Amino acid sequence: MAKHKIPKNRSLEDMFKGVKEEVTFETADWDDEETVARRPVVKKKASQQTAEDFRKQFFTDDLQKKVGAILLDIKMAYYKDGVGDISLEVVKDGRNVVIKTAPKTSKKK
């Protein structure tokens, strides 16, 4: 079994002599002509979307803010009446979605 001695105090040019680096998006300069002609970014196909992704597209950021503000107003109204926690129930009523609120009941054994 032969021992290979690692040379010390070599310069970067000496260490990387004979190494050819493959150009990737990480190593390429943005001004190069090669990087301008890139492949287009592939978007998710409908078949690759999960059920959760599909459901989330209906609940936009604007809608989340509106529903959150209304629920906060309801929570504060319950708090003023002395109720600490509330429970939420989502119900489908024909073509409408209804969020029902009620004071949370604690189950003590």
Side-chain angles (χ1 to χ4, degrees), residues 44-61:
K44 276 188 172 181
K45 295 180 183 176
S47 62
Q48 292 177 342
Q49 275 189 336
T50 63
E52 187 169 337
D53 292 338
F54 187 70
R55 288 189 296 265
K56 284 182 181 179
Q57 77 181 12
F58 295 109
F59 209 59
T60 62
D61 291 337

Side-chain angles (χ1 to χ4, degrees), residues 24-43:
T24 64
F25 76 96
E26 295 170 330
T27 60
D29 291 332
W30 290 106
D31 298 333
D32 290 344
E33 291 297 322
E34 295 176 21
T35 58
V36 174
R38 291 192 218 171
R39 288 186 281 150
V41 177
V42 179
K43 295 182 181 179

Side-chain angles (χ1 to χ4, degrees), residues 4-81:
H4 296 286
K5 187 167 183 160
I6 299 173
K8 304 287 182 190
N9 300 326
R10 295 190 322 176
S11 66
L12 287 175
E13 290 81 25
D14 292 338
M15 287 189 281
F16 289 104
K17 192 180 295 182
V19 175
K20 174 95 170 140
E21 186 174 16
E22 184 179 327
V23 177
T24 64
F25 76 96
E26 295 170 330
T27 60
D29 291 332
W30 290 106
D31 298 333
D32 290 344
E33 291 297 322
E34 295 176 21
T35 58
V36 174
R38 291 192 218 171
R39 288 186 281 150
V41 177
V42 179
K43 295 182 181 179
K44 276 188 172 181
K45 295 180 183 176
S47 62
Q48 292 177 342
Q49 275 189 336
T50 63
E52 187 169 337
D53 292 338
F54 187 70
R55 288 189 296 265
K56 284 182 181 179
Q57 77 181 12
F58 295 109
F59 209 59
T60 62
D61 291 337
D62 187 44
L63 185 60
Q64 286 180 21
K65 289 178 186 176
K66 289 178 183 178
V67 171
I70 292 171
L71 288 174
L72 181 62
D73 289 342
I74 293 170
K75 172 80 174 175
M76 293 307 292
Y78 272 112
Y79 183 75
K80 288 178 183 176
D81 293 339

